[in-house]
Amino acid sequence: MRAACGQFSRPAHETWQHGGVTAATHSSSFPGGPASADSADAVLLGLDPEQREVATTLRGPVCVLAGAGTGKTRAITHRIAYGVRSGQLMPASVLAVTFTNRAAGEMRGRLRTLGAGGVQARTFHSAALRQLQYFWPKAVGGEVPRLLERKIQFVAEAGARCRIRLDRNELRDVTGEIEWAKVTQTVPADYPVAALKSGREAPRDLAEIAQIYGTYEQLKRDRGMIDFEDVLLLTVGILQDRHDIAEQIRTQYQHFVVDEYQDVSPLQQRLLDLWLGERDSLCVVGDASQTIYSFTGATPDHLLNFRTRYPQATVVKLVRDYRSTPQVVHLANGLLNQAKGRAAEHRLELVSQRETGPDPVYAEYADEPAEAEGVARRIRDLIAAGVPAGEIAVLYRINAQSEVYEQALADAGVPYQLRGAERFFERQEVQKAILALRGAARSGGNDPLLDDVVELGSQVRAVLSSTGWSTEPPAGSGAVRDQWESLAALVRLAEDFARARPGATLADLTIELEERKAAQHAPTVQGVTLASLHAAKGLEWDAVFLVGLTDGMMPITYAKTDEQVEEERRLLYVGVTRARIHLSLSWAVSRAPGGRASRRPSRFLNGLRPGSAAPGAAAGSTAGRGARGRVRRGPVLCRVCGKTLTEAGELKLMRCEDCPSDMDEGLYERLRDWRAAQSKEQGLPAYCVFTDKTLMAIAEAAPSEEGELSMISGVGGRKLDRYGADVLAICAGQEVAAGHPDDA
């Protein structure tokens, strides 16, 4: 059998389904015991109608199409909790699967709070690894192979054995190709054809990569090791070969929930199919517009084909956005309105549920350092205005862009953290702090640091003061400030823990920290987050700065095909939807000071940023101009209250039906009289000239020029040519002669 993907290896425990691992919890909230709700119906309180439908549909296949910020985790955790508390689901029979340890930890914490603590919430790899460890002796015999956590060293050795020299970048990229091949279940001999067919941008000759791939696999076999992808492959192999083991797992798990279903790889889908067997008790949640990991083998096809596979499936759409302001949502919808392809056909039109906020800011700079300095200044202003540094993020396309922002923020005296850099629990200062806390817990009252200190938070602060923590942060930034921020994050975590668990001891806290370390569920460090757009998936901030938005970077240069370009658009969409209130989009026209200003803003912003033409607009036209060079508009906001409009009648009026109208009643009546004359003259129903809603919109807007009239829904190019002169004349208070408009 072949090898697979997983997490750190732990000894097999008495039962494979539980494994003795206590759930890590969200950094800012710890469940304090049983849920306060006394009945199953109480779990449904506070859910919107669509979320409630998800929560109460417990049987058969369910597909939840959930837009960004629409409360999908809330919907599915309340679904599980409602099923458990109503007695329709046994906690141990449910397996909830998500894609990151942090998301799984958050889900477990929410389920415990809701009174469904016995439910398993794991990543695909974690669940498969637990099963592999438990069933390996029975299915294969002997010890489970050791897990290779960093395959890049083995890939380098494999390259050397093949007499192929790889530089650092090639080594990373070849490793990525091997991972892609394995999750798409492609063996070394088939790799060249599969890569060619999939349009892979390979870093080396395809035959060379296949040779390295084959040698890498042989190296692992020789040394009794498996990699992360092997965990899935081997589990799939066992379940296919041993029906008794498959049935044992199916007897245990009878209900499945899969989050981020748009990111499922063919190999993960195969494992899910084997877990399910012939059953259909499956709830999947996803958004095709957030598919951004196709380079790793992820595909939205399983989500988009769900209704075809399960014709009887219940499909629920979540479009109420509770995260972002109408202004942010408007821009996000506008991005997707220009999208193409199959995923775009299934896009969700989000409707913001928040109060109105500031418009997105677009900024152009002369060069990259100037852009970074400008962003740092704006961040400093936001912090001064009361926005916490931890609620601000700078997002870029590739990690190499971070350096100039690190420097600019350091120069501005703004603390920051690099997401995707060294793991929190692997930092030296964190390991030293946990060691000190563990020692203090063991010594109890004999530790002089804890003399006269009773409250848990105070105990932690006292212990960590010996490792470098202080009540005030050190000046400036750099390594010393980074270390302080790490320790401050531990202090905040301890304070949250103490509030949620009255009476908890230092020993209890050290156990919690060990569990978090095992799950890599780190607390939040208070500093501006610097992260790639890919690393930002699943996160959100009050203020987001999207930087470096030039053609060649967004979309990235190597995005050649239409499909690749559309994935880049979705990546920008993910970036936009990370923002709750403040959103800034910026670019630099040259790389270095004094350089040639040859860069252009990202094509994805065409028609969205002020003064730009939408894709396909006539040369020289600008966004929002008349129908003779008409551009496609994005979603429309109510001009009275600012909410996103979705109903056709409201779209025509440019306002909600129940928002107050400022229509000129006299103008409306004159337009109706004119329409009646046109209708009679041409022998057409009145609505074929203009509908009532269009006439009302014209009377409210009172356009004075062709461009303004063309922007009213219902006034297309043909009607503008046919009736435009008459309508503008009526709006100007002029008399219009009777007769066919084409007679003039």
Side-chain angles (χ1 to χ4, degrees), residues 21 37 46 153 222 243 272 299-300 302 319 338 411 433 465 475-476 485 496 544 560 570 588 619 676 682:
V21 178
Q153 295 171 337
D222 291 346
H243 297 291
L272 179 61
T299 171
H302 305 298
V319 297
Q338 298 176 358
D411 291 345
S465 64
E485 291 288 352
D496 286 345
V544 169
K560 303 291 187 186
R570 295 194 295 270
Q682 299 173 51

Side-chain angles (χ1 to χ4, degrees), residues 54 221 239 244 299 359 375 486 607 631 656 663 675:
V54 173
R221 284 193 293 269
L239 296 184
D244 57 328
T299 171
D359 287 330
V375 167
S486 296
V631 301
C656 302
M663 182 177 68
R675 183 183 65 174

Side-chain angles (χ1 to χ4, degrees), residues 327-362:
Q327 287 73 17
V328 173
V329 168
H330 178 67
L331 176 56
N333 286 337
L335 270 175
L336 290 190
N337 277 358
Q338 298 176 358
K340 303 171 185 175
R342 191 173 180 218
E345 293 170 3
H346 294 79
R347 63 180 173 266
L348 299 169
E349 182 92 359
L350 299 178
V351 181
S352 176
Q353 305 299 300
R354 294 194 57 159
E355 294 293 323
T356 187
D359 287 330
V361 174
Y362 298 86

Side-chain angles (χ1 to χ4, degrees), residues 261-262 264 269 288 291 298-306 342-343:
Y261 193 57
Q262 77 279 351
V264 166
Q269 180 62 47
T291 305
T299 171
D301 289 347
H302 305 298
L303 176 66
L304 298 178
N305 294 336
F306 193 84
R342 191 173 180 218

